Amino acid sequence: MSRGFYIGRFQPYHNGHQSVLEGMAREVDEIVIGVGSAQLSHELDNPFTAGERVLMITGALKEVVCPIYVIPIEDLQRNALWVSHVRSMTPPFDAVYTSNPVVMRLFEEAGVAVTSPAMYERDSLSGTKIRSRMIRREAWEHLVPESVVDVIEEIDGVERLRQIARSD
Amino acid sequence: MSRGFYIGRFQPYHNGHQSVLEGMAREVDEIVIGVGSAQLSHELDNPFTAGERVLMITGALKEVVCPIYVIPIEDLQRNALWVSHVRSMTPPFDAVYTSNPVVMRLFEEAGVAVTSPAMYERDSLSGTKIRSRMIRREAWEHLVPESVVDVIEEIDGVERLRQIARSD
Amino acid sequence: MSRGFYIGRFQPYHNGHQSVLEGMAREVDEIVIGVGSAQLSHELDNPFTAGERVLMITGALKEVVCPIYVIPIEDLQRNALWVSHVRSMTPPFDAVYTSNPVVMRLFEEAGVAVTSPAMYERDSLSGTKIRSRMIRREAWEHLVPESVVDVIEEIDGVERLRQIARSD
Amino acid sequence: MSRGFYIGRFQPYHNGHQSVLEGMAREVDEIVIGVGSAQLSHELDNPFTAGERVLMITGALKEVVCPIYVIPIEDLQRNALWVSHVRSMTPPFDAVYTSNPVVMRLFEEAGVAVTSPAMYERDSLSGTKIRSRMIRREAWEHLVPESVVDVIEEIDGVERLRQIARSD
Amino acid sequence: MSRGFYIGRFQPYHNGHQSVLEGMAREVDEIVIGVGSAQLSHELDNPFTAGERVLMITGALKEVVCPIYVIPIEDLQRNALWVSHVRSMTPPFDAVYTSNPVVMRLFEEAGVAVTSPAMYERDSLSGTKIRSRMIRREAWEHLVPESVVDVIEEIDGVERLRQIARSD
Amino acid sequence: MSRGFYIGRFQPYHNGHQSVLEGMAREVDEIVIGVGSAQLSHELDNPFTAGERVLMITGALKEVVCPIYVIPIEDLQRNALWVSHVRSMTPPFDAVYTSNPVVMRLFEEAGVAVTSPAMYERDSLSGTKIRSRMIRREAWEHLVPESVVDVIEEIDGVERLRQIARSD
């Protein structure tokens, strides 16, 4: 059995993530998703709590048939320990899917195989751009799975982000 | 929709936990399981990593039909912040199932309803007793779900615990 | 009895803070002042220790008759836990006075009433501007209560700030 | 002007502490009180939050005329840094009053004068004994200042302690 | 070139440690010594600072010709990350010498070869016993290298330990 | 006997550091070198682990005859405690050599003599410039001692830095 690992901050979870994970689901038997910077929320770059992000991801992947583990991963601020930290919090995995050069390097130095997934529509689909659209009251709903729209509405997420953005 | 929260250290996950969760599955629509002291492992009282415990729990609950979230929760060592910490890491829940008096008190002071589940066969089914049996090479396999036996064998868990127990 | 909470970093405490607190003293029975980022000092943006800031605040409010609690609050770097953290370190309060959008949002999500005080002469009275004046050897003494001048002189505060500012 | 420092955990604040502080008030101009292990609460040995303890102390010392600073001090778990930690959180002081041998040693190695106050009725007046009495529903109210009784009643403190004590 | 790793708390460094290291010096080209629980000091079980312990070790090994690295290692309280933590703080090593079962297990799970050195005169030579002798004013000087006696005298170490031991 | 303290991040150790330390070796009997931000690695500004930096420094100073202690120092993020932190991790020293204004100020407030060494060829010799040269594949080897080139090659350091630099 093969298990693949994918990590992101998912602020918020969007169609680009969804596309990568649907691709992974065709290649591995089970998927472990790490929700990075789990301890952060209510910040301009990290508006949503780990729990809210778990809810977004689980809802969006309901149709995917392979077993999925969604695991919050708190930051350590010690890169040399990060791979061990991730491994201690997750079921064992044999492949890592990431486009982040630091994550890539850390797993490679630990001897783990890393695949860089082609991110779908990267330009329009970064979390940064979606958060900017929310702050400027522009349409963002078409860039994320429907279930993510539901979660963000339920937690009054756009208003939270817009209020935080008033900080100087 | 109702969501229930259950927390434990699951060192290891055993039939008593399984019995409580099967009961909860009949009462709530979704279950959130917190894996407490997630950062601890390779200790006499905490031999298994959070990831290993996630694997045990998920395997044992494969037959349970209601959606289940299994979330590692690291210790904070600040009881007054613990309820907020749990809430930030988990999907929102409205009921807590626990027999731990401190957990009970903390959620009650936060205004959350707490149910104390009757623990099935409490005497033979504490984690402490199962770990003692492992150390003394006595039978323990009948006290946990089959999938837990598989995980512990796969990670050489009994030998890990027995080696740690040689510490003075 | 009503108790109001006001939080700032007070680097240093200045006439704008004084004006807000004198206003609060007319509205509530007791005041709790949180000294934020208490663990920071000897930095360009945070030159003074929590203890030095407690001394500034207490001296400046000697004439105010209502009871005042001045409480250092260390950073947690976890916004979702911050309201619980503040509450655990302070006597209970029912109203929060703040102009900081993140503090405002966090207390509102926790169901606490928030008042945004009109800051007196905001333009000339930010801590940032006072620290700039100190570094450039411009007059700053008229922007803070007299007792604050005394504390800063006693601890050689301007020279400390100017030396730190030489860092590249 | 002389300033004296006194530290304790105050779980709860009792007549022995009151007696020491009344003595100090006759010897120094101002008193700084450190509320130790500020981050702990809801534990058998540390039932009350720092904020609750600040409230107890301030109420009990209302009649004492000398200025008093009550400062929560979080644990560091690094004894060699503890004196610097205390100094950074408090107004400067020149004398320390303590009977704790470790605190005594740490301040002495830092070159600070330490006085060991004769604790009033030490036998009946330890926090440990008062907490035991609370758990066993024995009278404890005569061992603490009246205002402490009020605070503990307001926060339902005895019941909190008794519930926590049911932990195994 | 081979490099061997040896870890201890060295509270204090004694003839048993010396004997193990003299043995290692005959088997490897270079030695890395980890000074564990580096952040602890001024405790009954950990009276000496990391710096004091570095001084003891370096003095005692002056005659040993092979290159020696003495590295303080702070605790992490996360066993699953401990090997990575040690590796990040030390020059790379290929062999570990330890009698501690947990250290042994952690390195073995990480795929590192572990040798268990026969500890010389284990009964009389534990740190615990030496500290007890110091507290009871019994002879301890013959159990440690001469340079260790010098360091402990210079820092007034016995008196520090005896004063701390008066804590209840 | 006099002991001098020198601290840096050494990312990487270069000829400027070497020049300062050769100067110190003529003025003091023993040298203590603190490897700052020891917990950081695999970052654009901090590519090398503490252990790798210890290796660089020790190799480069092999010819220097005076005894040298190389000690990793983890960050505390609390400037007011930093001098105590350094002192607890190192053998006692009586002189500090630094050009960093904050380090200078902190030691001066603690009453320690500080010398500001004239840094040799400061313009071409900052760590920042060497890291830039590595990323742009320009020559950097002539700016560091030969043994540092060896260490960086052994750990594939340039490639690590270049890969990390691809992060956005």
Side-chain angles (χ1 to χ4, degrees):
Chain A
M1 201 204 60
S2 73
R3 219 180 263 126
F5 178 70
Y6 181 61
I7 187 150
R9 288 188 301 112
F10 308 114
Q11 293 281 13
Y13 184 84
H14 57 60
N15 291 335
H17 303 126
Q18 182 79 356
S19 157
V20 170
L21 284 161
E22 285 169 357
M24 278 180 71
R26 287 187 292 271
E27 293 177 28
V28 296
D29 297 314
E30 296 193 0
I31 295 175
V32 180
I33 301 174
V35 179
S37 295
Q39 84 286 0
L40 299 183
S41 72
H42 298 82
E43 295 183 353
L44 210 48
D45 289 342
N46 296 284
F48 307 116
T49 69
E52 291 162 356
R53 292 177 270 160
V54 168
L55 208 56
M56 292 178 199
I57 297 165
T58 311
L61 295 172
K62 222 176 303 180
E63 309 299 313
V64 173
V65 286
C66 91
I68 291 175
Y69 305 81
V70 188
I71 310 280
I73 305 279
E74 301 191 11
D75 289 331
L76 266 193
Q77 312 287 16
R78 300 176 170 238
N79 280 335
L81 280 59
W82 194 77
V83 166
S84 295
H85 176 47
V86 167
R87 283 199 172 291
S88 75
M89 292 291 161
T90 57
F93 49 81
D94 26 53
V96 169
Y97 291 70
T98 186
S99 306
N100 180 308
V102 178
V103 171
M104 212 179 280
R105 180 80 196 180
L106 293 171
F107 275 111
E108 282 169 2
E109 289 196 7
V112 183
V114 176
T115 302
S116 179
M119 180 73 93
Y120 169 82
E121 270 192 68
R122 175 79 203 208
D123 282 347
S124 55
L125 276 176
S126 77
T128 308
K129 285 185 186 170
I130 293 172
R131 295 192 303 274
S132 293
R133 287 177 155 275
M134 288 174 167
I135 291 171
R136 296 194 308 261
R137 290 210 189 283
E138 295 170 10
W140 55 272
E141 291 86 347
H142 59 294
L143 302 172
V144 305
E146 259 178 66
S147 57
V148 172
V149 178
D150 293 347
V151 171
I152 290 176
E153 274 176 11
E154 191 189 317
I155 63 172
D156 192 26
V158 173
E159 196 41 47
R160 181 195 292 166
L161 182 56
R162 299 191 74 243
Q163 185 163 351
I164 290 167
R166 283 199 285 276
S167 280
D168 42 317
Chain B
M1 200 205 62
S2 73
R3 218 179 265 127
F5 178 70
Y6 181 62
I7 188 150
R9 288 190 300 113
F10 308 115
Q11 293 280 13
Y13 183 85
H14 58 59
N15 291 335
H17 303 127
Q18 182 79 355
S19 157
V20 170
L21 284 160
E22 284 169 357
M24 277 180 71
R26 288 186 292 271
E27 292 178 28
V28 296
D29 297 313
E30 297 192 1
I31 295 176
V32 181
I33 301 174
V35 179
S37 295
Q39 84 285 1
L40 299 182
S41 72
H42 298 81
E43 295 183 353
L44 210 48
D45 289 342
N46 297 284
F48 307 116
T49 69
E52 290 161 357
R53 292 176 270 160
V54 167
L55 209 56
M56 292 177 198
I57 297 166
T58 310
L61 295 172
K62 221 177 304 180
E63 309 299 313
V64 173
V65 286
C66 92
I68 291 175
Y69 305 82
V70 187
I71 310 279
I73 305 279
E74 301 189 12
D75 289 332
L76 267 193
Q77 313 285 16
R78 298 174 173 240
N79 280 335
L81 279 59
W82 192 77
V83 166
S84 294
H85 177 47
V86 167
R87 283 197 171 292
S88 76
M89 292 291 161
T90 57
F93 50 81
D94 25 54
V96 169
Y97 291 71
T98 185
S99 306
N100 180 308
V102 177
V103 171
M104 212 180 279
R105 181 78 196 181
L106 292 171
F107 275 111
E108 282 169 2
E109 289 196 8
V112 182
V114 175
T115 302
S116 179
M119 182 71 94
Y120 170 82
E121 270 193 70
R122 176 78 202 209
D123 281 348
S124 55
L125 276 175
S126 77
T128 308
K129 286 186 185 170
I130 293 173
R131 295 192 302 275
S132 293
R133 287 177 156 274
M134 287 174 167
I135 291 171
R136 297 194 309 261
R137 290 208 188 283
E138 295 170 8
W140 55 273
E141 291 85 347
H142 60 294
L143 302 172
V144 306
E146 259 179 66
S147 56
V148 172
V149 178
D150 293 347
V151 171
I152 290 176
E153 275 177 9
E154 191 189 317
I155 63 173
D156 192 26
V158 173
E159 196 41 47
R160 182 195 291 166
L161 182 56
R162 299 192 73 242
Q163 185 163 351
I164 290 168
R166 282 199 284 277
S167 280
D168 43 318
Chain C
M1 200 205 63
S2 73
R3 220 180 263 127
F5 178 70
Y6 181 62
I7 188 147
R9 287 189 300 112
F10 308 114
Q11 293 282 12
Y13 183 84
H14 59 59
N15 291 334
H17 303 126
Q18 183 79 354
S19 158
V20 170
L21 284 161
E22 284 169 359
M24 277 180 71
R26 287 187 293 272
E27 293 177 28
V28 297
D29 298 314
E30 297 192 0
I31 296 176
V32 181
I33 302 175
V35 179
S37 296
Q39 84 285 1
L40 299 182
S41 72
H42 298 81
E43 294 183 354
L44 210 48
D45 289 342
N46 296 284
F48 308 116
T49 69
E52 290 162 356
R53 293 177 270 159
V54 167
L55 209 56
M56 293 178 198
I57 296 166
T58 311
L61 295 172
K62 222 178 301 181
E63 309 300 312
V64 173
V65 286
C66 93
I68 292 175
Y69 305 82
V70 188
I71 310 279
I73 306 279
E74 302 190 11
D75 290 331
L76 267 192
Q77 312 286 17
R78 298 174 172 240
N79 281 334
L81 280 58
W82 192 77
V83 167
S84 294
H85 177 47
V86 167
R87 283 198 171 293
S88 75
M89 292 291 161
T90 58
F93 50 82
D94 25 54
V96 170
Y97 290 71
T98 186
S99 306
N100 180 307
V102 177
V103 172
M104 212 179 280
R105 180 79 195 179
L106 292 171
F107 276 110
E108 282 169 2
E109 290 196 7
V112 182
V114 176
T115 302
S116 178
M119 181 70 94
Y120 169 82
E121 271 192 68
R122 175 78 202 212
D123 282 348
S124 56
L125 276 175
S126 77
T128 308
K129 285 186 185 169
I130 293 172
R131 295 192 304 273
S132 293
R133 287 177 155 273
M134 288 173 167
I135 291 170
R136 297 194 309 259
R137 290 209 189 283
E138 295 171 9
W140 56 273
E141 292 86 348
H142 58 293
L143 302 172
V144 306
E146 260 179 64
S147 56
V148 172
V149 178
D150 293 348
V151 171
I152 290 176
E153 274 176 9
E154 192 189 317
I155 63 173
D156 192 26
V158 174
E159 198 41 48
R160 181 194 292 165
L161 182 56
R162 299 192 73 242
Q163 185 164 351
I164 290 167
R166 284 199 284 277
S167 280
D168 43 318
Chain D
M1 201 205 61
S2 72
R3 221 179 262 127
F5 178 69
Y6 182 61
I7 188 149
R9 288 189 300 112
F10 308 114
Q11 293 280 12
Y13 184 85
H14 58 60
N15 291 335
H17 303 127
Q18 182 79 355
S19 158
V20 170
L21 284 161
E22 284 168 358
M24 278 179 71
R26 287 186 292 271
E27 293 177 28
V28 297
D29 297 314
E30 296 191 1
I31 295 176
V32 180
I33 302 174
V35 179
S37 296
Q39 84 286 0
L40 299 183
S41 72
H42 298 82
E43 295 183 353
L44 209 47
D45 289 342
N46 297 284
F48 307 116
T49 69
E52 290 162 356
R53 293 177 269 160
V54 167
L55 208 57
M56 293 178 198
I57 297 166
T58 311
L61 295 171
K62 222 177 303 180
E63 309 299 313
V64 173
V65 286
C66 93
I68 292 175
Y69 305 82
V70 187
I71 310 280
I73 306 278
E74 302 190 11
D75 289 332
L76 268 192
Q77 313 286 18
R78 297 173 173 242
N79 280 335
L81 279 58
W82 193 77
V83 167
S84 294
H85 176 48
V86 167
R87 283 197 171 293
S88 75
M89 292 291 161
T90 58
F93 49 82
D94 25 54
V96 169
Y97 291 71
T98 186
S99 305
N100 180 307
V102 177
V103 171
M104 211 178 280
R105 181 79 196 180
L106 292 172
F107 275 111
E108 282 169 2
E109 289 196 8
V112 182
V114 176
T115 302
S116 178
M119 180 71 95
Y120 170 82
E121 271 193 67
R122 175 80 202 208
D123 282 348
S124 55
L125 276 175
S126 76
T128 308
K129 285 185 185 170
I130 293 173
R131 294 193 303 274
S132 294
R133 287 177 155 275
M134 287 175 168
I135 291 170
R136 297 194 309 260
R137 290 210 189 282
E138 295 171 8
W140 55 273
E141 291 86 348
H142 59 293
L143 302 172
V144 306
E146 260 179 64
S147 57
V148 172
V149 178
D150 292 347
V151 171
I152 290 175
E153 274 175 11
E154 192 189 316
I155 63 172
D156 191 27
V158 173
E159 196 42 46
R160 181 194 292 166
L161 182 55
R162 299 192 73 242
Q163 184 163 352
I164 290 167
R166 283 199 283 276
S167 280
D168 44 317
Chain E
M1 200 204 60
S2 72
R3 221 180 264 125
F5 178 70
Y6 181 61
I7 188 149
R9 287 189 302 112
F10 308 114
Q11 293 280 13
Y13 183 84
H14 57 60
N15 292 335
H17 304 125
Q18 183 79 355
S19 157
V20 171
L21 284 160
E22 284 169 356
M24 276 180 71
R26 287 186 293 271
E27 293 177 28
V28 297
D29 298 313
E30 297 191 2
I31 295 176
V32 181
I33 302 174
V35 179
S37 296
Q39 83 286 359
L40 299 183
S41 72
H42 297 82
E43 294 183 353
L44 210 47
D45 289 343
N46 297 283
F48 308 116
T49 70
E52 290 162 356
R53 292 177 269 161
V54 167
L55 209 57
M56 293 178 198
I57 297 166
T58 311
L61 295 172
K62 222 177 304 179
E63 309 299 313
V64 173
V65 286
C66 91
I68 291 175
Y69 305 81
V70 187
I71 310 280
I73 305 279
E74 301 190 12
D75 289 332
L76 267 193
Q77 312 287 16
R78 299 175 171 240
N79 280 336
L81 279 59
W82 192 77
V83 167
S84 295
H85 176 48
V86 167
R87 283 197 172 292
S88 75
M89 291 292 161
T90 57
F93 50 81
D94 25 55
V96 169
Y97 291 71
T98 186
S99 306
N100 180 307
V102 177
V103 172
M104 211 179 280
R105 180 80 196 180
L106 292 171
F107 275 111
E108 283 169 1
E109 289 196 7
V112 183
V114 176
T115 302
S116 179
M119 181 71 95
Y120 169 82
E121 270 192 68
R122 175 81 202 207
D123 282 348
S124 55
L125 276 176
S126 77
T128 308
K129 285 185 185 171
I130 293 172
R131 295 192 303 274
S132 293
R133 287 177 154 275
M134 288 174 167
I135 291 171
R136 296 193 309 260
R137 289 208 189 284
E138 295 171 10
W140 55 272
E141 291 86 348
H142 59 294
L143 303 173
V144 306
E146 260 178 65
S147 57
V148 173
V149 178
D150 293 346
V151 172
I152 290 176
E153 275 176 9
E154 191 189 317
I155 63 173
D156 191 27
V158 173
E159 197 42 47
R160 181 194 292 166
L161 182 56
R162 298 192 73 243
Q163 184 163 350
I164 290 167
R166 282 199 285 278
S167 280
D168 43 320
Chain F
M1 199 205 61
S2 74
R3 220 179 263 127
F5 178 70
Y6 181 60
I7 187 148
R9 288 190 299 113
F10 308 114
Q11 294 280 13
Y13 184 84
H14 58 59
N15 292 334
H17 303 126
Q18 182 79 355
S19 158
V20 170
L21 284 161
E22 285 169 356
M24 278 180 69
R26 288 186 293 270
E27 293 177 29
V28 297
D29 298 313
E30 296 192 2
I31 295 175
V32 180
I33 301 174
V35 179
S37 296
Q39 83 286 2
L40 298 183
S41 72
H42 298 81
E43 294 183 354
L44 209 48
D45 289 343
N46 297 285
F48 307 116
T49 69
E52 290 162 356
R53 292 176 270 160
V54 167
L55 208 57
M56 293 178 198
I57 296 166
T58 310
L61 295 172
K62 222 177 303 179
E63 309 299 312
V64 173
V65 286
C66 92
I68 291 174
Y69 305 81
V70 187
I71 310 279
I73 306 279
E74 301 189 13
D75 289 331
L76 267 192
Q77 311 287 17
R78 298 176 173 238
N79 280 335
L81 278 59
W82 192 77
V83 167
S84 295
H85 177 47
V86 168
R87 283 198 172 292
S88 75
M89 292 292 161
T90 58
F93 50 82
D94 25 55
V96 170
Y97 290 71
T98 186
S99 306
N100 180 307
V102 177
V103 172
M104 211 179 281
R105 180 80 196 179
L106 292 171
F107 275 111
E108 282 169 2
E109 289 195 8
V112 182
V114 176
T115 302
S116 179
M119 181 72 94
Y120 170 80
E121 269 193 70
R122 174 79 203 209
D123 281 348
S124 56
L125 276 175
S126 76
T128 309
K129 285 186 185 170
I130 293 172
R131 295 192 303 275
S132 294
R133 286 177 155 274
M134 288 174 167
I135 291 171
R136 296 195 308 260
R137 289 208 189 283
E138 295 171 9
W140 55 272
E141 291 85 348
H142 59 294
L143 303 173
V144 306
E146 259 179 65
S147 57
V148 173
V149 178
D150 293 345
V151 172
I152 290 176
E153 275 177 8
E154 191 188 317
I155 63 173
D156 191 27
V158 173
E159 196 42 47
R160 181 195 291 167
L161 182 56
R162 299 192 74 243
Q163 184 163 352
I164 291 167
R166 282 199 285 278
S167 280
D168 43 320

